[in-house]
Each structure stands twice: as C-alpha cells, then as structure tokens.
Amino acid sequence: MYSIFHFWHQLVQKKEKFEKVRKLDKFPFPKEMLSCSNEGVFPDLAIKINTQGHFSGGELVELKDSSVYNISSFNSTIPTGKKNIRNIVTSETGNVFRQMQEAGDDVFSLEVRDVYYLVRGRKSGHQKICLVHGSFFETIPAEELVGETFSQVVDEELNDPDINDNVKKKLKGALSRQDIFSRVRSVDKASVSMRFRVLVEVKPDANILSPKHYPEILDDTLNLICPFYTEDEKEELISNVASVIGLDKLNKLGIFPIKHPLNGWFLVFQVKL
C-alpha cells in the first residue's frame, strides 16, 4: 500500500538521515514506493498508484531545499495543490511516463494528483522539514495568478490612451496561460532559441519555515501538513495517519492545527528529529 502517509512514515523512520545529507535529493527515499524519480524536472518524486484499498496513492512530490529558513524559489512550475498528470506527461515516450509505466502504474488511470512539497530549511545548526500540501502555496488558481500578474504589466506599460481596450483584453488573455512559457521560441537569423521561465517566490506569510509566522513549526522537527475544511476531514486525516503508523506512535506525535492567513486550516503531524 502506498500513499503520502506511508511516504511520510518512511521519512520518520529514517529521520536521522536528514542530518547527514547535504542535499535533499540525496536522502534515501523508499524506492519501492516510488513510480518515478527525477532531478530538475517536475515531479522530483511520484508515489505509486494503488489499484485497490483505501488510499489511491499517486501523489507527486517536489523537493525544496534551502540553507536558510526561507523556501527556495519555484522555477517554471507554479505551486499548486493538485495537478493533472496529462499536463505533466505530454508524451508517452518521455522519461516520466516511461518510469511510471515500468513501475507498474496505469499512468492515466488517476489523472488528478495531489501535490506535496518536501521543504527543508537550515539555520544555526538546526533544521525544519515539512512535507506540506501544495494548497498551502496556492491561494488563487495558477491561471488566475499568471493572468493577474501580466494584467498588471499590460496596464502599467500600455497606458497610451490610443491603445484599444479590446487589444489590451486580448493581450491579457494570451498571457494568462502558464504553458506558453514552457515553449521554445525560435527567431529567424538568431543563433539561439529562447524559452521564458516563471520564477515564483513565497511571500513571508506563506513561509512555513518562518519562526515569526509559524512558531508552532519547531526547530529540528519533521512535519506532515495537510489541509482540512471540516471537523470530519480533520478526523479523517488523523485516522489515515493512525492506520499507517499505529495508535501507539500516533499518541507520541504532536498534532495541532495551524491557520493560513489566506487559505484556511491545516493539520500538522510533528515529530522531533
């Protein structure tokens, strides 16, 4: 059985390894649980799909390592809570599809996948590690974020009254899709091609590593952080973790809610490193 809860349990069992690995991608992740593993290409890790049982599996995990208590920038891929695998696997000859298929996954049987970010920060000999659901960073949809950002650019730069509002509207619409930045553009007589990249920085109030904004995330802890919207969902999260690690270990965890200023409540499962 595979799921993000099983994955986190494996991290807990090997938690002493975090002190020894200088780069997060060198951590001994449980290979038997993964359908793909990449470096520099989203996703860094993907959990295998379950064909039966309570958990669907299939979660996607991106690694974010930092030498300070700030989350490193997101390059090209805007953080989201869920992604459609068809937007990631655009070719059945690609490396991600090949790895998933060789691992035994029916890749498109689970199209919409939950996304988690394994975030580590270090400071003054201490570290904080959070396996956090992507909705922590996605307070508005990615398309809306891109669209509104470039709307600001259009309004700021094209302020000539002679420019038709319909032209501005069409331009804003054309720049609202994240996928247009991943395409390689070629220009006649140019000896190079170009591809634009979106650089996404986490604002302070969404920096889960920040002692100021999230003092509950203590130094030298490993945390699983999941969203919940009702008390029933909160209890289901606790039940899911308990079914993986057992009640004895559950009772030894720190379990508490934290409030995101823009995106509601998240439940934290915390263990000391």
Side-chain angles (χ1 to χ4, degrees):
M1 186 66 68
Y2 310 111
S3 73
I4 200 66
F5 306 108
H6 295 83
F7 180 77
W8 184 71
H9 186 215
Q10 287 291 313
L11 299 184
V12 171
Q13 290 183 316
K14 300 177 182 179
K15 62 184 182 178
E16 72 282 353
K17 301 289 186 182
F18 283 107
E19 185 65 34
K20 300 175 182 178
V21 294
R22 294 184 63 186
K23 294 183 64 178
L24 199 52
D25 58 8
K26 301 304 180 185
F27 187 87
F29 295 110
K31 294 182 179 179
E32 72 283 355
M33 193 176 292
L34 302 176
S35 64
C36 81
S37 177
N38 300 292
E39 186 174 344
V41 178
F42 185 89
D44 288 320
L45 307 171
I47 297 171
K48 290 180 179 178
I49 296 172
N50 296 309
T51 56
Q52 56 185 356
H54 176 68
F55 299 105
S56 65
E59 294 93 343
L60 309 175
V61 180
E62 182 80 352
L63 308 180
K64 306 300 295 179
D65 208 4
S66 175
S67 59
V68 293
Y69 278 172
N70 289 319
I71 299 171
S72 56
S73 302
F74 298 86
N75 295 318
S76 295
T77 304
I78 297 174
T80 59
K82 295 180 182 291
K83 288 186 183 293
N84 191 307
I85 196 65
R86 291 187 182 275
N87 294 332
I88 299 166
V89 178
T90 56
S91 170
E92 294 190 7
T93 61
N95 186 47
V96 172
F97 181 86
R98 178 184 55 79
Q99 286 189 59
M100 289 181 171
Q101 193 174 53
E102 289 178 356
D105 275 2
D106 180 358
V107 179
F108 299 123
S109 65
L110 183 64
E111 290 198 10
V112 179
R113 311 288 189 93
D114 278 292
V115 181
Y116 282 79
Y117 295 87
L118 183 59
V119 175
R120 179 173 72 165
R122 286 164 285 181
K123 185 178 181 181
S124 304
H126 299 285
Q127 59 180 330
K128 297 180 182 182
I129 303 161
C130 299
L131 182 60
V132 55
H133 192 267
S135 58
F136 198 86
F137 308 113
E138 185 191 20
T139 54
I140 63 174
E143 293 78 9
E144 184 178 339
L145 174 63
V146 174
E148 287 298 320
T149 299
F150 279 98
S151 287
Q152 293 179 22
V153 175
V154 171
D155 289 336
E156 290 168 4
E157 301 300 324
L158 301 183
N159 53 14
D160 189 325
D162 291 333
I163 298 177
N164 189 288
D165 285 342
N166 286 332
V167 173
K168 289 185 180 181
K169 184 176 180 181
K170 288 181 179 179
L171 184 56
K172 290 176 182 180
L175 294 172
S176 66
R177 301 195 321 276
Q178 184 183 352
D179 64 290
I180 67 174
F181 301 100
S182 62
R183 301 175 192 170
V184 176
R185 311 288 179 173
S186 295
V187 178
D188 287 344
K189 298 182 181 180
S191 60
V192 296
S193 58
M194 290 188 65
R195 178 167 63 91
F196 296 98
R197 304 186 72 181
V198 176
L199 184 67
V200 180
E201 304 275 357
V202 173
K203 291 183 177 181
D205 57 6
N207 177 14
I208 189 63
L209 303 176
S210 168
K212 176 183 177 181
H213 292 88
Y214 300 98
E216 306 93 337
I217 306 301
L218 303 176
D219 284 343
D220 302 314
T221 59
L222 172 59
N223 304 270
L224 173 64
I225 304 173
C226 305
F228 70 92
Y229 303 97
T230 66
E231 283 301 309
D232 287 344
E233 289 183 358
K234 177 182 175 182
E235 292 304 315
E236 184 178 8
L237 284 172
I238 296 173
S239 176
N240 285 337
V241 173
S243 70
V244 172
I245 70 174
L247 285 175
D248 288 343
K249 291 183 178 178
L250 181 77
N251 292 331
K252 296 177 181 178
L253 297 178
I255 304 175
F256 52 87
I258 58 173
K259 180 74 162 55
H260 189 293
L262 298 172
N263 216 22
W265 290 95
F266 288 75
L267 191 63
V268 180
F269 299 88
Q270 185 176 89
V271 61
K272 290 288 290 182
L273 291 172

